[in-house]
Structure formats: C-alpha cells, structure tokens
C-alpha cells in the first residue's frame, strides 16, 4: 500500500529521535493489508519535547494512531486504520 503522507510522517519521526541527541536512529516500516506502521527508535529515552513538539502535531494530524514506544526510546505512527 502507498500512502501520500508516509514520507512526511517518517521524516518527522526521524527528526524527533535525531533531535534528542541520538547518534543513530533506527527506522522501520511494516505493512499489513491497508495498514502502514512507521517507527523511529534511538538508544535513549526521548525528552518530552521530542515526542510532543510541533513535528509531533504534524504526525498526529496525518496518522490514524500514534504513540511512544514502551521503553520511551522511540515513536511510531500507523496509517490506514480509518475507513
């Protein structure tokens, strides 16, 4: 599945983790049917501003579901869950 907002969302997730000072950002993209899940993870917990700043508002506005990883070192967004 292709989604027009996926590149922008992936970029904003990447920037959120990179701005936390992470020397490495691991990105992941998974598809299942009409859903796309995009993740960005770093080695350390993210400061609150990196997971809830202006870029996060863009992600939340475009994605169907968003969240912070359980270890607080990454962020994710899912597209294609709304019908």
């Amino acid at each position: 599945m292709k989604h027009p907002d996926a590149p922008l969302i992936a970029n904003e997730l990447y920037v959120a983790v990179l701005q936390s000072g992470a020397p490495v950002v691991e990105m992941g993209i998974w598809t299942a049917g009409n859903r796309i899940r995009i993740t960005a993870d770093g080695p350390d917990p993210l400061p609150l501003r990196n997971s809830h700043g202006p870029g996060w508002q863009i992600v939340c506005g475009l994605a169907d579901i968003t969240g912070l990883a359980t270890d607080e070192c990454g962020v994710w967004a899912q597209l294609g869950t709304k019908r």
Side-chain angles (χ1 to χ4, degrees):
M1 175 188 174
K2 293 182 180 180
H3 194 288
D5 297 324
L8 176 57
I9 290 171
N11 181 70
E12 291 300 330
L13 296 177
Y14 174 83
V15 169
V17 176
L18 187 65
Q19 285 182 337
S20 73
V24 176
V25 179
E26 184 176 327
M27 297 292 298
I29 298 177
W30 293 267
T31 60
N34 67 331
R35 289 178 283 172
I36 300 172
R37 185 175 176 103
I38 305 168
T39 64
D41 294 293
D44 301 310
L46 299 172
L48 188 60
R49 71 179 180 278
N50 293 74
S51 60
H52 291 83
W56 190 248
Q57 292 177 13
I58 293 170
V59 171
C60 290
L62 297 174
D64 297 334
I65 307 169
T66 60
L68 187 62
T70 55
D71 63 3
E72 298 182 356
C73 293
V75 286
W76 58 269
Q78 189 163 308
L79 307 165
T81 58
K82 293 181 182 174
R83 292 243 173 212

